[in-house]
Amino acid sequence: MSTARVVVIGAGIGGLVTALELASNGVDVTVLERAGGPGGKLREVAPGGVAMDAGPTVFTMRWVFDELFDALGLRLADHLALQPVSVLARHAWRGDQRLDLFADIARSADAIGRFAGAAESRGYLAFCERARGIYRALEMPFLRGTRPTPLSLVRRAGWRGLPELLRISPFATLASELGRHFTDPRLRQLFGRYATYCGSSPFLAPATLMLVAHVEQDGVWLVDGGMHRIAQTLAALARQRGATLRFDAPVDEILVRGDAACGVRLADGETLAADAVVFNGDVAALTSGLLGGAVFDACAPAVPTSRSLSALTLNLLAPTDGFPLSRHTVFFADDPAREFDDIFRDRLLPASPTVYVCAQDRGGDEIGATPASGTAERLLLIVNAPPVGDLRPFTQEELARCEAQTFRTLSRCGLQVTRHPERTVRTTPQDFERLFPATGGALYGQASHGWAASFRRPGARSRLPGLFLAGGSVHPGPGVPMAALSGRQAAASVIARLTATGPQRSRRPSTSTSAPTATPGGTSTP
C-alpha cells in the first residue's frame, strides 16, 4: 500500500476528503486542481477587496465530519470553530409577513401558530415527525451506504427497518405531500424550498426530501472564518498527512491502458502514472469527452434536460436598511409554480424570483451581531436559474432585468440595499459553466426529479476499473456533507482495489486507446 500512487482530479470537498483518507493510509496521493486554490463550489470571492463565501452557506450533518476526524485520530473542534445557530432562517413575503424557524421545534411550532393558526402548527409538528421518520429510514441504507438500488435499499434496511422504509412516500412529490400537512400556501412554499437544496423543483422532486427538515433541526452551525475555511482546513490536513496538492494544474485526459485507468495527462503535457484515479468533478465532464475518449462511457451519460438548478448570484459589500436581516433570510416570490415553470420548463430566468440572502456579518440568533446603520456588510444573494450556460448564455439585458426584479422582491418586503458596481461580484450560469465545464452551470449534478433519480447517480466505482468518483454529482448527492461522504466512499473503494490488486506503477500509461486531446481545463470540481 505504501508504494501505491493515486491521482485525485479536483480539490472540492469530495476530492480533499478522498486525498486526506488515502494519505492517512499510506497512499502516495497527488491532487490536481485547475483553479488557484481548494474548495470547488465551496468558493470565496472578494468584492471591494473583502473576502466572503460565494457558495454553500450552512454547515449541517456535523456527524459526517466528526466521524471523519475521529477516523483520522483528530478532533473536529481542534481544527474548525463552529457556533450553533438558534434561528435557522427568517422568511418574508409581501409586506410585513415574516416567519422565523428555529432549531427548537417547539419554538418553530409556536411561531407558526402565531403566523398561520393552530391547525398549521399541528401540521408542522406532524411534518417534523414525518421528516424524522424518513431520515431514520434512509440514513443507514442510503446516506451511509454505497450506491443503492431499490432492491439493495430494502435489503440493507432489513425487516426491522422495512415498515419505516415503506412510509417514506417515494412516489409522491414533495409539493403534494406538503399539502397533506399545510393548508397555508406560504408554508407549502416555504417547506417546498427544501427541494432546491438539491437543485430541484418541489413540484417534481420526491417527498423523501422532507428529511431536510430533520437535518436542519438536528443542527446548523456557523464556521468561524466562513465556509471556505472547511476546504482550507482539509487541504492543510491532507498536506500534513503527505498528500501533494497542485493548483493551476488542469487535467486534459485520464489515461487508460488495457482495461484500467493508469494515470493522467495535464494540459501542459506532463504525464502522471497512477494505480488509481479519482475524479472529483461533475460526471458530465467525463461523459462529454472532456477528459478523453477512453473514459467517455465510464458512467451513464448525463442528460442536459435532467440537470439541476443553476443560479444567478450577487456578492455585495453594501449597507442595508428597512428589514431586520437574519444570517439566513428568504424573500419569497408571489407565484412559486410560475418560478419553477420559468426555470425548468421554459429555461428562462424567473420573472418573479425567490431571493435567498446570506448576511455574513450577522450571527445565527436573535441577538447576533448586526452592523451599525449605514455600515457596509457582506451579502450573498442567490436566485435560482436554469442550467443553460453552455446552450443559451443570457444577454446583459436579461440579466439586468432579473437583477432589477430581484431587488424589487427585496424592496417589496422592506429591505433596501445600497449597491455599488465596484463592490459587486456577479456569477451567472455561463460563469458557473466556465468554472465547472459540461454542466451548463448546474450546481447539484442531475436534478432529483422522480422517485428513481437518486438511484441514477453513479457510485464511487465507475464502469472503468481504476477510475473512481467523488463529489456532488455522485451518490449520496449534493451538499458539503454529502460530498464528504462521497469522498470517504471513494477512498474506501480505492483502498479495497489496491489491497486486492497491489500497486501497478511499473505499467507505464499509454494514450493509444484515448481520443484526441480534450478541451484544456476540462475538469470540474464541486
Side-chain angles (χ1 to χ4, degrees), residues 198-248:
C198 62
S200 305
S201 163
F203 302 100
L204 300 171
T208 49
L209 290 179
M210 286 193 292
L211 65 82
V212 176
H214 178 71
V215 167
E216 288 192 332
Q217 290 155 2
D218 198 43
V220 174
W221 288 264
L222 303 182
V223 181
D224 284 3
M227 290 289 288
H228 189 64
R229 183 65 59 85
I230 301 169
Q232 295 170 331
T233 298
L234 293 175
L237 288 173
R239 281 197 179 100
Q240 289 175 18
R241 295 296 172 98
T244 299
L245 275 67
R246 294 174 55 182
F247 302 110
D248 298 309

Side-chain angles (χ1 to χ4, degrees), residues 9 254 277 279-302 437-438 458 462 467-469 474 522-524:
I9 305 173
I254 296 173
V277 175
F279 180 64
N280 173 218
D282 199 294
V283 295
L286 293 176
T287 61
S288 298
L290 294 186
L291 277 300
V295 295
F296 182 83
D297 60 354
C299 305
S462 78
L467 176 60
F468 301 86
L469 309 172
V474 306
T523 63
S524 59

Side-chain angles (χ1 to χ4, degrees), residues 10 17 23 67 111 130 160 181 259 269 305 313 322 340 359 380 384 390 394 432 488 497:
V17 169
E67 290 183 1
R130 186 76 183 286
R160 292 180 183 273
H181 294 280
D259 63 350
T305 54
T313 70
F340 288 102
L380 169 61
N384 293 324
D390 56 343
F394 294 111
F432 284 120
R488 299 206 70 186
R497 174 178 170 81

Side-chain angles (χ1 to χ4, degrees), residues 110-136:
D110 183 61
I112 288 172
R114 294 194 305 272
F115 178 76
E120 300 297 83
S121 178
R122 291 192 295 271
Y124 170 73
L125 292 174
F127 166 76
C128 290
E129 184 61 29
R130 186 76 183 286
R132 185 183 302 110
I134 292 173
Y135 181 88
R136 189 166 52 234

Side-chain angles (χ1 to χ4, degrees), residues 2-12 14-24 26-34 235 238-239 241-251 263-266 270-280 494 498 505:
S2 62
T3 60
R5 181 174 185 180
V6 175
V7 169
V8 177
I9 305 173
L16 292 171
V17 169
T18 302
L20 177 54
E21 290 227 73
L22 290 176
S24 297
V27 178
D28 180 359
V29 185
T30 298
V31 181
L32 303 172
E33 168 58 57
R34 70 195 297 263
R239 281 197 179 100
R241 295 296 172 98
T244 299
L245 275 67
R246 294 174 55 182
F247 302 110
D248 298 309
V251 173
V264 300
R265 182 168 56 79
L266 281 70
E270 180 185 359
T271 296
L272 294 180
D275 299 296
V277 175
V278 179
F279 180 64
N280 173 218
V494 170
L498 295 176
R505 290 181 61 188

